[in-house]
Amino acid sequence: MLENPWLSIGKPEQRIDAVEKAAGTVRYTADYSVPGLLHAKLATSTQAHAKIKAIDVSEAWKVPGVRAIVTGKMFPYHIGPILADRPPLAFEKVRYYGEPLAIVVADQEYMAKQAAQLIHVKYEPLPVVNSAREAFQTDAPLIHENSGKYMKIISNVYPVQGTNIGSHIKIRKGDFITAWENCDIKIKQTFSFNLSDHAALEPRCTRVEINPAGKVVVHSTTQSPFTIKKVLNQFFNIDVGNIIVHVPLIGGAFGGKGTVQLEPLAYLASKAVGGRMVKLEFTREEDLITAPGHIGLEATIALGANKAGKLMAGQYTYLIDSGAYTDQAAGITRAMALDCTGPYDIPNVWCDSYCMYTNHPYATSFRGYAHPELTFAVERTMDKLAHKLKLDPVELRKINAIKPGNSSPTSAVLNANNLGDVEKCIDQAKKLIDWDQGERLETADGKVKAKGISTFWKTSTTATNAQSGAVLKFEADGSVNLNCAAIELGQGSKTILAQMVAERLKMDIKKVHVTMEVNTQSDPHQWRTVASSTTFLAGRAVMNACDDAISQLKRTASIALQCSMEDLEVGGGRVYLKPSPEYGVKIQDIALGYKYPNGHAVEGQVVGHGRYIQRHLTPMDKDTGFGKPGPWWSVGTQAVEVEWDPADCSYKILKAVTVLDGGKIINPMTATQQMRGGMYLGLSFASQEGFIFDQNGTVLNPQLRTYQMVRFGEQPAEYIVDFIETPAADGPFGARGIGEYGVIGMAGALANALSTAAQVELNHLPLLPELIWKTRKESQA
Amino acid sequence: MITNGTGKTVVRLHVNGEASDVMICSADTLLQTLREQLGLTGAKRACENGDCGACTVLINGEPMHSCLCLTIETINQPITTIESLRDSAIQQKFIEKWAIQCGFCTPGFILNCQALLNKHPDADDETIEEWLQSNLCRCTGYQEIKEAVKSLLPKGSAS
Ligand code: FES
Ligand code: FES
């Protein structure tokens, strides 16, 4: 490796939030209380699909301390981030088990809870649509009778009236039909998994008040404070300027806190009690099923190649189980199409990605936004194809690895700048997992050690005008405060941004103070903290702000030093003359303006500001998918080694490897944290997680005790993380995004390893020993 | 002295070496009392069902899920919360080993680790695993937490 030419970039600077978090003194949203705070509780649906005949609140009103009860009739409108199809409180019908029906506001939480339990709902049950495939049938019961009439909030969403299709996104690249006919080798595989959940440790919580002057003040566990403003404006007619959203630190989100659900409910609750401050905190059960979760999927992939293993044609059909409402699943449907092939060069692509309504809890973004899910299906198919071609699975991936000069499924042109180096990632992962030692080995004690590999890519599918801003305010001691509306969810963004400031201003990182909380009134606009976009978008804004601050510092210093600005340099807490660095002025002496010896003063506080907005992104064409969906593609390869026991089909994960090309790594330790955490989440999802539904659409495991996930001790015995750092010319210091990437290839790699171990095709998740056992039984039969 | 149901009574708790009077109902959990009356919000509410360990505190030195303890059961027992472990070795290790991301699980984990260190200074891997399985972390992947606690338990194997 080259010597690090940087001061702070590329160094494992300690997270700026670690000390307070270790002390337990960080206050998250639910940790604040004020006297007089009222509490809201929801009454939720006990049916997955039913007409609401009557809601009787008379018993509930008898509970002492009840201040208000709000039902769907009081706000009979639909809201949503992409397609406005979801009533905040159900009216006329319920569409999932756990759906909000009414809010009770009371003096104490237990009173609200007691009252909510006394709300009696009369239902007329409707037939339940219990899977995406069922929903797709032409005679399926309709979940939304008028889906064609819903308001579209963004352009790329296409509900089909009279069906359960909430959106249908197409890719038509090249001439798939002819190419398919000419392929030497063809295979087709089907995959599926149920909806699951983010289960961030912090349950969602919000407080809302409406002050007498009409200002709506929101405190919330959100990744998208500016989207809350947009939603309250769009659907509740509040002036954007009158809405203030505060966000403290967040206790994990993984995409689950990116959409807006609680805040409109708490707004309605506060309105019902004359604007008093109302707190709505979800219980774990509500957080799991009432709040949106992670999509389910049924996927069919057909791949065609020539004899040498070069992919010629790919067909992808994705039926996304979005649950009762489209929410971000409509965007995931689009994302699943636009990167449908995985990081492979396939000239002829045909993809139909459907967002399917079912009577399941609705789904929203989940770390990786369609990519962990599509990668599972694609990478399993690649392994199967390799077997059919009698090629090493690693070799097949290398033959087809996408390169600069190729184009994405949406025909976006890829170059050395916007695409990471796929081949290098494959080679390095192959080495780190000791691939050449053998894919499958039987051990002396009758167990099997097997390896699986998975290659992946992802672009950052933001809004075409996604943006970020940053403000740098200098203090009298020469230190600087950074304000930026990137949310700290645990991913370490605030630390990364501090490093960028330290680097650009060539100052000690201890002198960079980052405002941890976000306040939409004092912080510049930021699209959202999602899509691995923060390092890139906020990073560019921060660099821009630094440049602005530098020119102000130079200007004030040029007056103090009686020289021209061009001759000056900023660094080490000083502004000094380039040719004679000993001649200069301390930043602390000019941070609040320069004072002449006679008392006269000039210039004033140095306040740098900067901004950045996505450039040249476009929506996708409705018929072909043509368009430029994101600024760059980070790529990577992951591998897993398992030890599987044929006796009972149980297994241990021995090793998990990630090699990622995310451009320049700003902080190798926070980046490694992100990878390990992502790998954990991906492995937990792949091996254990998922909602269990009965035939009525009831979730049978809505608790952390029954919703299984990987616990301490079940994690891989070894996590190996490595980075390839192909710089992105337009990224801050050459960085691309990395936040979601650790998750993406894990399900594919684990399923490949276990399929190799058990010598069966494991095409469904979660990969419980029971599933392996069943699949073996079936294949032996 | 405690009336059933919603009637309130003042009781004395011994938290972090101090005696504090709190006003409770018989149904109040220790988690509620610590958070709402004493402002000790380091104990987190994440499931209220004994499934996640985010609410862990030490009662008489034993790690307990405070969401499953009634406050009245803890009268006259020494209670330790994260707020009193300031600058402890285990906290330092969590920082040093990068065992913290969002930080929501951290207080519960640190208290559980502290109890483990006190009770089983010679804990082996199996004991560590058994103890820490009661706490969930969704951010880190557990590797760094394992490193943090093991660095203070000389008998644990090196990795
Ligand atoms: S909140 Fe007590 S164990 Fe989860
Ligand atoms: S650090 Fe987020 S849950 Fe553990």
Side-chain angles (χ1 to χ4, degrees), chain B residues 44-48 50-55 65 67:
Chain B
K44 300 296 178 209
R45 164 180 169 168
C47 75
E48 293 195 293
D51 300 338
C52 75
C55 63
H65 292 149
C67 70

Side-chain angles (χ1 to χ4, degrees), chain A residues 201 251-252, chain B residues 99-106 109 136-140 145:
Chain A
L201 206 58
Chain B
I100 303 171
Q101 290 193 31
C102 80
F104 207 77
C105 70
T106 309
F109 256 112
L136 276 174
C137 172
R138 288 292 273 176
C139 301
T140 64
I145 296 175

Side-chain angles (χ1 to χ4, degrees), chain A residues 4 57 88 90 192 221 244 246 286-287 299 427 492 498 538 545 584 618 684 733 754:
Chain A
N4 189 349
V57 297
S192 74
T221 54
I244 304 160
H246 298 266
E286 289 167 331
D287 201 69
D427 283 337
T618 65
S684 186
F733 302 99
L754 287 169

